Amino acid sequence: MREMEEIFSLFKTQRYTRCLNILKTISKSSVLENYLWQNNLNTVEISLGLLSGEINKILSFEDEFMHLLQKIRCIPVTEEILVAELCVVCNVITCHLIQGICPVDQSQMILLPSIQKCWNLTKKEGNDLCATADIEIKRGNLIHGLMEHLMSSALSGPLGSILLEACLRWAAVLLLNKNPERASKILSIVESQSRTTYQEEPVSGLLLPLEVCLLGGEACSPDASVVEEVHLLSALCLFPVESDRCQGHLQKLTTQAWLPYTKLMKAHLEYKAERYMEAIIILSATTALPFKMTKRLTALHCDLFGKCLSQL
């Protein structure tokens, strides 16, 4: 649909009001289209609220997403239905991440039924979900096991794309709950897939940008790709303990809107290594960026700059 192509384009460039105006004129001819429309409407409303600093909006729309998820899970599973379901799942988890309250058990309960459906829909003859589940439950890591099997099956198209998005959000949940080792294991699976067969394809529903909960609302970018999100999450998992590996991931990030954050991380690593002048040079470069940083981010840059100067 030309209307949806325009909505996706407007959403990526943060023209949310225009998105809403178009969404309200779209006709829904099927149950699935109606559910996707509701997902997209909620996503744009939340994004508009985040842009204007109204974070409290998330709470009401989070409940709407959960009701929508329950309805979608009542429909017989097809690949198209599963893509829509995973879109809503990703948005629910992102809502939790943005609020900073995202328990692992809660996220697993939301994500696991969809991942199991995905496995059942795509498994090859001879694979046994129950056997796999029994083994992985004993290890306390069922989602990781299923995701690993699904990634190794080289899924493509919208289902492959939305599954990667779900993997990234699961990794972010683990990272938020101070489990960077498990998060890194998921990210290594995603990174391996993105280097081989993966081609990013648009999915049927809008997704709340993951970088909003990782970095902040100002970090939204239409240029960010799944591959860059993998490197960003990987860098956050390694920061600041494994400096060299963290720097390796940071060097691969080119998204302009992320530079104030990634440069701060690089400068902090230089400070930790007692290379104070190098840290000052990195921090000074942020003044030439073509956009204004938030007050909080500016304060963090100034604080580290002052610490570096005091060591010279």
Side-chain angles (χ1 to χ4, degrees):
M1 290 173 63
R2 287 179 60 188
E3 290 171 322
M4 282 310 302
E5 289 175 6
E6 186 178 0
I7 287 170
F8 275 88
S9 176
L10 290 168
F11 184 79
K12 289 183 73 176
T13 52
Q14 296 183 300
R15 288 179 283 176
Y16 303 131
T17 303
R18 177 65 179 148
C19 277
L20 283 177
N21 292 337
I22 297 175
L23 275 168
K24 289 173 181 177
T25 66
I26 289 179
S27 58
K28 289 80 69 180
S29 58
S30 68
V31 173
L32 178 59
E33 284 183 6
N34 184 59
Y35 290 161
L36 281 169
W37 176 83
Q38 189 62 58
N39 170 81
N40 295 342
L41 191 68
N42 292 349
T43 304
V44 176
E45 289 275 17
I46 291 174
S47 301
L48 190 58
L50 291 172
L51 195 64
S52 58
E54 298 176 42
I55 298 178
N56 292 336
K57 270 192 172 184
I58 292 177
L59 291 172
S60 60
F61 287 108
E62 180 187 323
D63 290 337
E64 289 191 27
F65 274 132
M66 286 303 298
H67 290 314
L68 183 60
L69 182 59
Q70 291 170 3
K71 290 177 182 178
I72 293 176
R73 283 180 170 166
C74 294
I75 306 174
V77 177
T78 64
E79 183 170 323
E80 191 178 18
I81 295 290
L82 189 51
V83 170
E85 180 177 327
L86 280 165
C87 283
V88 179
V89 166
C90 285
N91 282 332
V92 171
I93 292 175
T94 307
C95 282
H96 294 166
L97 286 166
I98 292 171
Q99 296 171 82
I101 305 171
C102 199
V104 172
D105 289 347
Q106 180 191 41
S107 301
Q108 184 164 287
M109 287 177 62
I110 294 168
L111 181 58
L112 186 55
S114 302
I115 298 297
Q116 287 178 313
K117 285 183 187 178
C118 193
W119 172 254
N120 288 333
L121 189 69
T122 60
K123 67 179 181 178
K124 296 176 183 177
E125 189 176 349
N127 284 333
D128 185 353
L129 174 63
C130 295
T132 304
D134 289 342
I135 293 169
E136 297 301 337
I137 284 171
K138 290 174 185 176
R139 297 176 187 169
N141 200 1
L142 176 55
I143 287 184
H144 179 91
L146 290 173
M147 284 181 170
E148 189 170 25
H149 283 295
L150 287 166
M151 289 293 99
S152 66
S153 66
L155 291 177
S156 59
L159 185 57
S161 292
I162 193 60
L163 183 62
L164 284 181
E165 294 282 3
C167 287
L168 290 177
R169 281 152 182 79
W170 177 241
V173 169
L174 295 172
L175 179 59
L176 181 69
N177 286 277
K178 303 186 186 308
N179 200 332
E181 295 82 9
R182 285 179 66 193
S184 292
K185 288 179 181 178
I186 290 291
L187 292 169
S188 65
I189 296 170
V190 179
E191 186 176 7
S192 174
Q193 173 72 356
S194 64
R195 281 201 311 263
T196 53
T197 58
Y198 175 68
Q199 288 185 340
E200 197 166 347
E201 293 192 24
V203 296
S204 50
L206 296 174
L207 299 176
L208 290 167
L210 183 59
E211 61 263 32
V212 170
C213 44
L214 298 177
L215 302 176
E218 299 295 319
C220 266
S221 172
D223 303 319
S225 65
V226 166
V227 173
E228 282 208 284
E229 287 177 343
V230 171
H231 287 302
L232 175 61
L233 272 166
S234 298
L236 290 169
C237 285
L238 298 167
F239 180 85
V241 179
E242 297 190 45
S243 177
D244 290 342
R245 290 177 61 201
C246 181
Q247 286 276 20
H249 287 290
L250 290 174
Q251 295 294 345
K252 294 174 182 176
L253 297 175
T254 59
T255 298
Q256 285 285 310
W258 297 0
L259 288 179
Y261 304 87
T262 56
K263 284 185 178 293
L264 181 62
M265 290 173 70
K266 288 178 182 179
H268 186 90
L269 293 174
E270 296 293 350
Y271 175 83
K272 186 170 177 286
E274 300 182 359
R275 294 190 289 266
Y276 306 118
M277 187 54 70
E278 286 85 349
I280 287 173
I281 291 170
I282 292 170
L283 291 169
S284 299
T286 59
T287 60
L289 293 174
F291 45 80
K292 188 177 180 180
M293 293 193 295
T294 62
K295 290 180 180 179
R296 179 178 175 276
L297 195 53
T298 300
L300 290 171
H301 276 250
C302 291
D303 179 63
L304 184 55
F305 194 92
K307 288 180 179 177
C308 292
L309 285 176
S310 69
Q311 296 294 329
L312 295 177

